[in-house]
Amino acid sequence: MLLRILPALSFALIVGAVPNPQQAKPGGQPKCRFSPCYTQAQILNDPNPFISDVLYWEGRFHQNNVSYNSYNGMSYDGTLLDESTGLATAKHPFSAASKEALQIMLYAHAMVGSPQAARFLSPDNTGAAPDMAMNIMALKLKTYLRFNETYPGFGGFLPWFTGDSMDIQPTWDWVNRVPALDNGELIWAVYSAIQAMETSSNRKYQNLARQWQAWLDYIKLTAAKVFYAGNGVVCAVTDIGDQSFPINDPRQTYKCEGSGTLNDPYEGELFTWWLYFFGGLSRKDKDVLWKVKRPQLVSVEYKMGGVGPITVQKGFWFSAHEQWKVMEIPYYDVDLVKRLFTNAERARTCNSVVTKVPGMFASVNNSTDPTTGQIIGYISNAGIPSIANQTVQEVDVITPYSVFPVVLIDNAVGMVWWKNMADGKKMQNPYGSSESTRVDGTAMSSFVSWDSKITTVNAILGGVSDLVRQKMKTDSIYNEFISVTQREYGAVFKNLKGENIGLCLPSKKVPDRGLVDYTQCQ
Ligand SMILES: *[C@@H]1O[C@H](CO)[C@@H](O)[C@H](O)[C@H]1NC(C)=O
Ligand SMILES: *[C@@H]1O[C@H](CO)[C@@H](O)[C@H](O)[C@H]1NC(C)=O
Ligand SMILES: *[C@@H]1O[C@H](CO)[C@@H](O)[C@H](O)[C@H]1NC(C)=O
Ligand SMILES: *[C@@H]1O[C@H](CO)[C@@H](O)[C@H](O)[C@H]1NC(C)=O
Ligand SMILES: *[C@@H]1O[C@H](CO)[C@@H](O)[C@H](O)[C@H]1NC(C)=O
């Protein structure tokens, strides 16, 4: 079979340097259904006009009562869309620390004056974007602090919460419970935002940085108490004795829920780093944190349909979601990690070509039932079975956000894959891209969420690792971050195979099986 292979890395360097005459004027409104108007070749030649349109329309998700609450600054999980018009119907009034992380990373970029973040947040008045972000960050902190006053048992961390009144509450199923993974994502997002604010020349930003720093300093004190069970065991979910008792109340208790421990070498590692650097653990406990994680960091070779071998880090499912950690901390400063994660995207893109799939896989919400408008279920087990720990997978639904790790490496190739999925019927709506589509084009998900959309936007913005690196240096933890990462990855990955293989480009389209585009996105 014929693979369309591109020497992607050198290519990206070249296009990055070329000025771009046909870029849309800032503030101009592109057509809602813009994706099919571009060709692959146009995006590869210069991804910036396409990216400008993506940012504009993904930014329509950032509206009060759609993706966040402008009264308290908190994110909403997402919203269902009308099957015919594509307009928001029933929002999910709840959210979690992971969505907060995506929102805060975006604001970090806006506060340092990123034109791309401004295009997303405030395309009609890009100059207003930094203050807009800063004001929401101020409201959000007030909400976090009121939550901490009412529910001091969380130690400042967030459970899944409902956010549609001024004060947030744990959702009914998260009363007295708190997850580590999502909070790890939140912590480093806040860390980046503080860096953005404290380096501003504006007093207001500097003051807000100090207030957020107090929150961060507080969760340094509580992290081990809430999540660390000793002997390297970090609770995946902690059961809290009583969320309304203060953390040091003699009646208060913390214990891991069931046998679930946070020891994954994927996004859960963000929380491990926090404990490692700031949890106040002994040298012995710090070392054992990595020791218990070691068996999960595994090398595996991708080989299929004439592609490979490509050495990659074995995935849990190999869902794109698992790569989240590189968006937040400067892992790519370790050359071995950058090369290994580039290999992962060689495998991800080429796998979809050899298996003739028009997009890529990541854990995602399933299609909506067109008669009820409700989501059928959540597909966790979506990735690449041959290079995953979990080999039983459902690989019939693809999602635009599966491109975000590709975008971090080569934004042109990433956007070409995004286009290929967005071109599917109904895959664009008045809030940007839709959640997911079946590979066979028979159904899709009339839903929009932070995870399925704003991961890609944050990857377009380059993630926040540049900001995090600076603050890690100020905090004198950067060198140790590099040496531990080098030590752990270097012990498992010696010589990488497949580095000469290019990223692959999509060759199949999502079939038109009669779904009709939304009337409000033409
Ligand atoms: C907010 O959105 C919901 C649907 O999610 C809608 O029912 C409600 O009227 C909206 N509220 C306001 C104030 O617009
Ligand atoms: C959170 O609440 C506790 C207990 O009331 C308090 O001691 C702590 O200072 C609060 N944290 C922050 C960041 O205000
Ligand atoms: C799927 O739905 C859940 C629950 O509503 C939401 O938190 C998540 O962001 C959605 N999308 C993805 C890609 O997980
Ligand atoms: C996803 O939806 C399809 C029908 O469109 C169904 O066959 C499949 O079992 C669903 N999977 C999950 C995990 O909900
Ligand atoms: C999956 O991971 C667990 C825990 O590390 C390990 O015991 C198991 O052998 C792994 N299975 C595969 C198929 O990689």
Side-chain angles (χ1 to χ4, degrees):
M1 70 170 307
L2 188 74
L3 286 185
R4 302 181 57 195
I5 289 179
L6 177 83
L9 291 172
S10 52
F11 188 82
L13 289 175
I14 296 163
V15 292
V18 170
N20 160 38
Q22 77 263 50
Q23 185 153 18
K25 283 198 195 72
Q29 175 168 328
K31 173 176 158 141
C32 182
R33 192 67 169 117
F34 65 86
S35 181
C37 305
Y38 286 82
T39 64
Q40 266 192 27
Q42 281 172 331
I43 299 171
L44 291 171
N45 181 47
D46 177 4
N48 291 316
F50 188 76
I51 284 175
S52 173
D53 292 0
V54 171
L55 291 170
Y56 180 91
W57 282 104
E58 294 302 314
R60 300 314 89 209
F61 177 62
H62 190 264
Q63 281 183 45
N64 179 42
N65 204 32
V66 175
S67 68
Y68 81 110
N69 180 341
S70 63
Y71 298 96
N72 63 13
M74 301 299 284
S75 57
Y76 289 132
D77 182 71
T79 180
L80 290 164
L81 306 178
D82 183 278
E83 294 281 348
S84 150
T85 62
L87 293 172
T89 54
K91 74 168 178 285
H92 284 178
F94 54 85
S95 190
S98 47
K99 291 82 172 98
E100 290 286 297
L102 292 170
Q103 187 190 15
I104 291 171
M105 285 192 261
L106 198 83
Y107 297 158
H109 284 284
M111 290 187 294
V112 292
S114 153
Q116 290 189 318
R119 173 83 175 148
F120 174 98
L121 276 182
S122 179
D124 298 331
N125 180 6
T126 50
D131 279 359
M132 186 176 165
M134 192 268 294
N135 288 329
I136 300 172
M137 285 300 288
L139 276 178
K140 187 186 284 298
L141 179 59
K142 289 203 175 100
T143 310
Y144 282 27
L145 295 178
R146 286 197 309 276
F147 179 76
N148 177 52
E149 264 175 45
T150 314
Y151 302 108
F154 285 98
F157 294 105
L158 295 182
W160 285 75
F161 59 83
T162 48
D164 58 348
S165 46
M166 219 35 207
D167 289 330
I168 61 170
Q169 308 277 336
T171 56
W172 64 270
D173 51 343
W174 283 89
V175 168
N176 294 322
R177 306 172 67 217
V178 62
L181 183 144
D182 303 69
N183 278 288
E185 293 170 343
L186 171 60
I187 287 167
W188 294 101
V190 169
Y191 197 84
S192 75
I194 292 174
Q195 174 67 25
M197 292 184 276
E198 68 192 1
T199 49
S200 162
S201 54
N202 183 325
R203 268 295 151 69
K204 273 171 83 178
Y205 288 59
Q206 293 167 10
N207 284 336
L208 187 58
R210 273 191 288 279
Q211 292 165 35
W212 270 106
Q213 184 66 49
W215 179 82
L216 208 57
D217 288 342
Y218 183 63
I219 60 166
K220 290 176 183 167
L221 302 176
T222 61
K225 176 112 193 174
V226 175
F227 288 107
Y228 189 55
N231 295 320
V233 175
V234 181
C235 304
V237 173
T238 293
D239 283 338
I240 305 169
D242 187 326
Q243 61 193 20
S244 55
F245 293 162
I247 192 147
N248 289 321
D249 189 298
R251 295 165 297 178
Q252 186 60 286
T253 58
Y254 295 98
K255 64 176 192 335
C256 292
E257 184 171 296
S259 57
T261 63
L262 182 94
N263 56 9
D264 70 82
Y266 315 111
E267 49 193 310
E269 202 160 277
L270 291 165
F271 192 82
T272 309
W273 284 118
W274 188 252
L275 264 184
Y276 182 82
F277 284 125
F278 298 114
L281 302 185
S282 69
R283 184 74 254 168
K284 189 164 158 282
D285 278 313
K286 287 170 80 168
D287 291 341
V288 79
L289 277 182
W290 294 102
K291 190 160 174 254
V292 301
K293 283 164 59 61
R294 249 164 237 158
Q296 278 73 248
L297 186 63
V298 175
S299 175
V300 63
E301 285 175 8
Y302 177 85
K303 200 166 188 310
M304 206 184 286
V307 175
I310 304 173
T311 309
V312 297
Q313 174 182 339
K314 188 178 245 188
F316 186 67
W317 294 294
F318 215 85
S319 156
H321 207 284
E322 293 164 16
Q323 310 303 74
W324 185 309
K325 69 180 183 183
V326 300
M327 228 177 357
E328 296 205 49
I329 334 195
Y331 279 95
Y332 284 179
D333 290 2
V334 176
D335 187 54
L336 175 63
V337 176
K338 171 124 202 220
R339 287 165 46 214
L340 182 66
F341 276 60
T342 303
N343 265 5
E345 303 320 309
R346 295 184 170 105
R348 197 184 312 282
T349 53
C350 297
N351 180 64
S352 287
V353 176
V354 297
T355 57
K356 301 191 169 64
V357 172
M360 299 179 299
F361 298 108
S363 302
V364 76
N365 293 289
N366 207 349
S367 309
T368 36
D369 177 338
T371 56
T372 62
Q374 297 300 313
I375 292 166
I376 295 169
Y378 184 75
I379 309 173
S380 297
N381 55 335
I384 304 180
S386 66
I387 47 175
N389 178 284
Q390 302 287 305
T391 53
V392 179
Q393 300 200 7
E394 179 178 343
V395 285
D396 55 5
V397 171
I398 50 180
T399 173
Y401 94 92
S402 60
V403 308
F404 88 79
V406 185
V407 170
L408 285 171
I409 285 160
D410 184 322
N411 62 3
V413 174
M415 293 328 293
V416 162
W417 279 97
W418 191 96
K419 167 196 156 55
N420 212 59
M421 292 180 265
D423 281 358
K425 291 291 174 189
K426 295 178 112 96
M427 285 304 288
Q428 290 187 282
N429 63 65
Y431 316 93
S433 55
S434 309
E435 180 87 3
S436 67
T437 178
R438 282 186 64 88
V439 166
D440 62 13
T442 55
M444 54 74 64
S445 192
S446 288
F447 181 61
V448 282
S449 68
W450 284 92
D451 286 62
S452 76
K453 299 163 70 64
I454 313 304
T455 40
T456 306
V457 171
N458 275 301
I460 289 172
L461 296 168
V464 290
S465 52
D466 285 343
L467 290 164
V468 168
R469 178 191 305 104
Q470 292 168 38
K471 192 167 167 64
M472 281 181 133
K473 286 183 175 168
T474 312
D475 286 347
S476 302
I477 59 171
Y478 178 73
N479 291 342
E480 193 172 353
F481 164 72
I482 296 295
S483 65
V484 172
T485 303
Q486 179 68 53
R487 180 190 75 205
E488 295 302 316
Y489 273 90
V492 177
F493 300 93
K494 303 288 183 197
N495 46 48
L496 306 184
K497 294 184 190 161
E499 289 190 274
N500 58 327
I501 297 171
L503 299 170
C504 289
L505 295 172
S507 56
K508 284 265 173 289
K509 287 178 161 305
V510 180
D512 178 355
R513 297 288 298 276
L515 296 182
V516 179
D517 278 343
Y518 297 114
T519 56
Q520 295 302 307
C521 186
Q522 299 286 329

